[in-house]
Amino acid sequence: MTFTVKIIELRKKYFMISAVVIAIGLAGMLFQIASGNGAFNLDVEFTGGTEITVDVINDFNVEDVRAIVMESTGIAPAQLQRIIGTNQVSIRMHELALYQRTALIQAMVTAYGLDAETDISISDVSATISGEMQRSAVIAIISACVAMLLYIAVRFRDFKIGMSMIISSVHDVLIVLLTYSVLQISLSYSFIAAMLTVVGFSINATIIIFDRFRENKRLTAERIKENLMMSRKAIKEPTVEEQLDLSINQTLLRCVYTALFVLVVTACLYILGVPAIRDFILPIIVATICGTYSSIFISGPIYYMMSKRETEKAAA
C-alpha cells in the first residue's frame, strides 16, 4: 500500500509538535501570572462587578469612550461595545469604588453633555450570580462530553477509539484554554460556547476518520472470507498501522477542506466583527486548527499505541 502522508510511523514527531505548543502556552500562562495579570482574564459575568449603560444620544466613537473610562477610573473596561441600532454603549468593568463611579459619570456628562439621571444607568453583577454561571458552564461542558462519549460507545463499541477521542479532545481544550490565558482574552459566558464548539469540532473530524477505519476493517474481513470460501489464495490481512494510515489518508482532504471553509468564515467574522465577537471567534479559529491537527495526527497514533500495547500484553 502507498500513502500520501505517513501518520503512524512519524507519530513521535507529531506528538513533539503538540508538546512544544503546549509548553509554550504554559510558559505564557506563567508569565501572565508573574506579571500580576492572573492566569485568566475573568469577565464581570464570572467575577461580579459593575455594568454601565450610557445613552450618548448623538453618534460617538467607541475608542473615545474607552479612553474616557480608562482616564476617569484608571481601569481598562473588561468589555465595551456599542448596542446595535442605538447610540448607547454598554460598559462592563470589575467592581468600581464609589469615587470611581462618580468620576466616570462626571467624565461622560462633561464629554457628551448628558443627564446623569436619565442617560446613564449603573447596575451591579453580584458574585452569587457569577458563581451560578460558573457552575452552569461546568455542567454544560461535562454534559456535552458525556453525551458524546455515550454516542461513541454505541457507534463504535471499541473502548480504545473512545479513549483516543477523549485524549485528542483534551489536547484541543488545553490548547484553547492556554490561548485564553496567553492572549488574556476575556473569559465571558461565550467561553462556554467556545469550549463546546472545540469539543464538538474535534470529535466530529475524529469520528469521520474512525468510521472509515471501521469500514475498511469490515471490507477487508469480507474479502478474506470470500477468498477462503472460493478456495483462492489467502489475502494477507493489513496491520492496524496500515489500516489507520489508509483510513486517515482517505479522509484527509475532507477534514482539511472542512477546516479551511470554517477558517474562511471565522476569519471574515474576526476581521469585520466588533471586539466582543472577536473574543469569541479567535478561540474558534485556534480550535479549528488544533482540532483538525489532533484528529489527523494525534487520535490515530494514540489508538495504534493502545492496540499495540494490548496485542503485546495478550502475547505475553
Side-chain angles (χ1 to χ4, degrees):
M1 295 181 183
T2 58
F3 307 109
T4 306
V5 180
K6 292 182 178 180
I7 305 296
I8 307 303
E9 182 181 336
L10 302 177
R11 61 188 180 278
K12 291 182 180 179
K13 292 183 179 180
Y14 303 133
F15 291 159
M16 184 60 67
I17 292 172
S18 293
V20 169
V21 171
I22 291 172
I24 293 172
L26 289 173
M29 176 185 282
L30 292 174
F31 175 78
Q32 293 292 358
I33 294 172
S35 301
N37 297 325
F40 296 101
N41 177 22
L42 298 176
D43 189 78
V44 172
E45 294 171 341
F46 284 90
T47 62
T50 305
E51 185 171 3
I52 306 157
T53 303
V54 181
D55 188 351
V56 184
I57 302 175
N58 299 314
D59 195 22
F60 64 94
N61 186 292
V62 172
E63 294 306 317
D64 291 341
V65 176
R66 188 184 304 276
I68 292 171
V69 173
M70 293 183 65
E71 184 178 348
S72 59
T73 65
I75 303 173
Q79 188 181 95
L80 189 152
Q81 65 183 48
R82 179 194 292 266
I83 299 176
I84 297 175
T86 69
N87 283 325
Q88 296 181 343
V89 61
S90 173
I91 306 168
R92 288 186 172 186
M93 307 185 68
H94 296 295
E95 190 171 355
L96 296 177
L98 180 59
Y99 76 91
Q100 291 174 314
R101 295 189 184 199
T102 304
L104 176 57
I105 292 172
Q106 186 58 48
M108 295 297 291
V109 168
T110 302
Y112 296 104
L114 306 179
D115 185 332
E117 297 293 330
T118 59
D119 297 330
I120 302 175
S121 63
I122 299 180
S123 59
D124 292 320
V125 179
S126 68
T128 302
I129 295 175
S130 65
E132 291 176 357
M133 288 185 174
Q134 292 180 43
R135 286 191 294 273
S136 298
V138 173
I139 291 171
I141 293 172
I142 292 176
S143 300
C145 291
V146 170
M148 284 187 286
L149 288 176
L150 288 174
Y151 168 77
I152 293 166
V154 173
R155 178 73 179 270
F156 293 99
R157 299 180 183 179
D158 190 332
F159 173 77
K160 297 187 294 298
I161 290 179
M163 283 301 299
S164 62
M165 288 185 177
I166 292 171
I167 294 170
S168 63
S169 295
V170 170
H171 164 276
D172 302 337
V173 168
L174 180 57
I175 290 177
V176 173
L177 277 174
L178 291 173
T179 301
Y180 269 97
S181 177
V182 172
L183 301 181
Q184 287 291 287
I185 300 173
S186 180
L187 227 70
S188 63
Y189 214 47
S190 63
F191 165 76
I192 304 170
M195 287 296 102
L196 293 176
T197 304
V198 171
V199 176
F201 190 87
S202 176
I203 290 289
N204 179 63
T206 310
I207 282 178
I208 292 172
I209 292 172
F210 279 111
D211 202 42
R212 180 58 61 87
F213 173 69
R214 183 184 63 169
E215 184 68 14
N216 286 336
K217 285 180 65 177
R218 183 184 66 79
L219 292 174
T220 300
E222 288 179 356
R223 285 198 299 269
I224 293 173
K225 184 178 180 180
E226 182 183 351
N227 274 32
L228 289 174
M229 291 177 63
M230 300 184 68
S231 301
R232 294 178 182 172
K233 185 179 178 181
I235 299 175
K236 180 185 176 182
E237 184 175 356
T239 63
V240 173
E241 178 179 349
E242 291 173 334
Q243 288 183 328
L244 280 170
D245 269 335
L246 175 64
S247 302
I248 293 171
N249 277 280
Q250 286 176 335
T251 55
L252 183 62
L253 287 179
R254 177 178 177 180
C255 293
V256 171
Y257 287 154
T258 301
L260 286 176
F261 287 134
V262 173
L263 286 174
V264 168
V265 174
T266 51
C268 291
L269 286 173
Y270 183 81
I271 294 170
L272 302 175
V274 297
I277 294 295
R278 290 176 183 172
D279 286 348
F280 172 72
I281 291 298
L282 183 56
I284 298 300
I285 293 174
V286 175
T288 302
I289 296 170
C290 67
T292 304
Y293 179 84
S294 68
S295 297
I296 297 171
F297 299 104
I298 302 296
S299 59
I302 289 174
Y303 177 84
Y304 168 76
M305 292 171 64
M306 288 191 292
S307 297
K308 184 180 179 181
R309 185 175 180 181
E310 186 178 85
T311 303
E312 292 174 348
K313 188 176 179 181

